C-alpha cells in the first residue's frame, strides 16, 4: 500500500506558476513510477506527466509540454509538478498516482491515487 497526499494547489493568475507536491508513505516510494493527472468539471481525468522510479524517464501531455516539469526526490518520498505559464484551461483538480510498473498515460495504469489538489487559473 502507498498513501499519497497532494499539496500546493491554489488560485493563480494566468502566466503564473505553482509547484505541486505529492508526499508518499507506506511501501518504498522508489519502487513506483509516478504520474500526475488532472480533471476539470464535466471532463474525464486526463494525463499530465509521468516519471520513472529512478527519475531518468519522463513523459508529458502535449498540452503542458514546455510549461510543466515533473520531478521526484526519492530521499524525501515526494514527487513534484512545477507548473509555469499557467493558462485558464489548466484549471482542474490535480491528482498524483503511483504505478508498480510504468503506468503510461492512462489512469488505469496506476494503482494508488491521492485525494487531489485544486488549481484555479484566473484570466
Amino acid at each position: 500500500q502507498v498513501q499519497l497526499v497532494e499539496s500546493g494547489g491554489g488560485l493563480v493568475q494566468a502566466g503564473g506558476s505553482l509547484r505541486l507536491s505529492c508526499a508518499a508513505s507506506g511501501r518504498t516510494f522508489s519502487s513506483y513510477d509516478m504520474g500526475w493527472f488532472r480533471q476539470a468539471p464535466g471532463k474525464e481525468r486526463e494525463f499530465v506527466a509521468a516519471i520513472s522510479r529512478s527519475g531518468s524517464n519522463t513523459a508529458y501531455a502535449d498540452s503542458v509540454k514546455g510549461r510543466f516539469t515533473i520531478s521526484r526526490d526519492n530521499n524525501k518520498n515526494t514527487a513534484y509538478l512545477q507548473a509555469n505559464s499557467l493558462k485558464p484551461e489548466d484549471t482542474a483538480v490535480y491528482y498524483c498516482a503511483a504505478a508498480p510498473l510504468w503506468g503510461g498515460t492512462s489512469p488505469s495504469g496506476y494503482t494508488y491515487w491521492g485525494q487531489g489538489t485544486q488549481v484555479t487559473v484566473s484570466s
Side-chain angles (χ1 to χ4, degrees), residues 20 36 49 58 60 64 66-71 80-84:
L20 307 184
W36 284 95
T58 59
Y60 295 92
V64 305
R67 300 188 298 123
F68 289 16
T69 303
I70 189 171
S71 62
Y80 304 97
L81 184 69
Q82 178 67 43
N84 298 331

Side-chain angles (χ1 to χ4, degrees), residues 31-55:
S31 299
Y32 293 89
D33 298 323
M34 299 297 295
W36 284 95
F37 290 78
R38 65 187 182 187
Q39 188 166 17
K43 294 188 177 182
E44 293 187 353
R45 192 167 298 191
E46 66 173 358
F47 170 76
V48 175
I51 188 167
S52 62
R53 59 203 63 196
S54 69

Side-chain angles (χ1 to χ4, degrees), residues 94-113:
Y94 282 71
Y95 299 89
C96 69
L101 298 173
W102 182 249
T105 61
S106 172
S108 63
Y110 293 80
T111 304
Y112 303 105
W113 291 83

